Amino acid sequence: MLQVPDGTVIADRAERRKAESRERLLEAARRLFIERGYHATRPQDIAREADVGHGTFYLHFADKQECFLAFAARACDELQAFVDARLASVEGVEPQLRALLEALLDYAEQNPGEIKAAMTDVSVIASDGVVHESVIDRWATQWAERLRLGAAAGAIHADYDAAVAGHAIVGLIRGAAAYGRRHRSARAQVVDTVARFLARALVSESEAEAARHHRLLRGRLES
């Protein structure tokens, strides 16, 4: 039997071989998208890196875009699981923000280039005319839902447009992390500044008590 990353157990021999080749392709795609970027990676490169025939690639993916979307979805799920584990026992808006930022930076250090590669704008690479949700949009949507729930719980401001605020928060975190890397800023300074800035923006004095115990970032939210 074979257990793939999503927990599915494959028993049939043919299905097991198929699942194994897909895993090899996804791992190869992961390496190449990180090393070369989306545009410089070709399906035949992925097949060669996975040590399978070129035709095998098309047994699993219609094209490079579909392969990339599978890679990006898996990267996002792995990052989410990593973050969730860090946040499991943390409560309070600002402490959770600090734990989130530390987790994001740790994941980026342990998986160099993966988050940047997964954030490639899918609207730029779309080949089928379908609008696909990007990793950034997915995170922003999750933030928006968390803001709505936090407002309903009386822990954060209720007068924001949650969708706009969700995208703003994702943009702030990305921008601050990029600035910190470029300027080699002290990690503690980046985390402290962003966490305090967001906490002050989200929580008013009248909401401070509820915010101390609210789990704004609790668990996984499906977008």
Side-chain angles (χ1 to χ4, degrees):
M1 294 189 294
L2 170 71
Q3 183 170 5
V4 294
D6 67 1
T8 302
V9 176
I10 309 295
D12 179 78
R13 181 178 298 176
E15 288 300 312
R16 185 168 66 248
R17 286 199 300 268
K18 184 177 180 181
E20 288 171 345
S21 63
R22 179 182 171 84
E23 286 305 307
R24 289 166 67 179
L25 285 163
L26 278 174
E27 282 303 311
R30 181 180 192 157
R31 290 192 295 272
L32 293 177
F33 287 140
I34 291 172
E35 292 171 7
R36 303 181 184 180
Y38 178 83
H39 295 290
T41 300
R42 303 173 302 173
Q44 55 265 43
D45 298 328
I46 296 172
R48 187 181 303 111
E49 180 76 10
D51 195 25
V52 300
H54 188 189
T56 302
F57 177 91
Y58 292 101
L59 292 176
H60 297 279
F61 307 105
D63 53 23
K64 183 174 68 169
Q65 176 187 307
E66 185 175 297
C67 182
F68 174 82
L69 292 171
F71 149 72
R74 175 170 292 184
C76 195
D77 287 342
E78 290 177 357
L79 173 59
Q80 187 68 56
F82 186 91
V83 170
D84 285 350
R86 293 289 190 88
L87 294 172
S89 60
V90 182
E91 67 176 25
V93 172
E94 187 171 334
Q96 280 211 314
L97 288 169
R98 290 180 183 277
L100 167 70
L101 294 165
E102 292 283 4
L104 290 174
L105 292 172
D106 283 343
Y107 187 89
E109 289 178 2
Q110 294 174 26
N111 301 273
E114 182 171 38
I115 296 177
K116 179 180 179 181
M119 283 185 171
T120 300
D121 187 352
V122 290
S123 67
V124 174
I125 67 174
S127 62
D128 53 10
V130 177
V131 177
H132 297 280
E133 184 182 49
S134 69
V135 171
I136 294 172
D137 287 339
R138 176 176 172 178
W139 288 345
T141 298
Q142 290 175 342
W143 267 105
E145 180 60 17
R146 286 163 173 150
L147 295 177
R148 293 186 188 101
L149 292 172
I156 65 171
H157 291 303
D159 59 349
Y160 289 137
D161 182 310
V164 174
H167 278 277
I169 291 171
V170 172
L172 170 63
I173 293 173
R174 291 182 68 207
Y179 176 87
R181 286 194 303 272
R182 287 197 308 271
H183 295 273
R184 299 182 180 179
S185 302
R187 172 170 166 160
Q189 181 181 15
V190 173
V191 170
D192 181 65
T193 297
V194 175
R196 287 191 298 115
F197 183 89
L198 284 174
R200 289 173 179 176
L202 294 174
V203 181
S204 69
E205 290 184 9
S206 63
E207 299 155 342
E209 183 58 35
R212 287 192 187 96
H213 306 288
H214 181 65
R215 292 194 173 187
L216 177 68
L217 301 169
R218 85 237 182 279
R220 178 186 298 271
L221 288 176
E222 296 300 333
S223 56

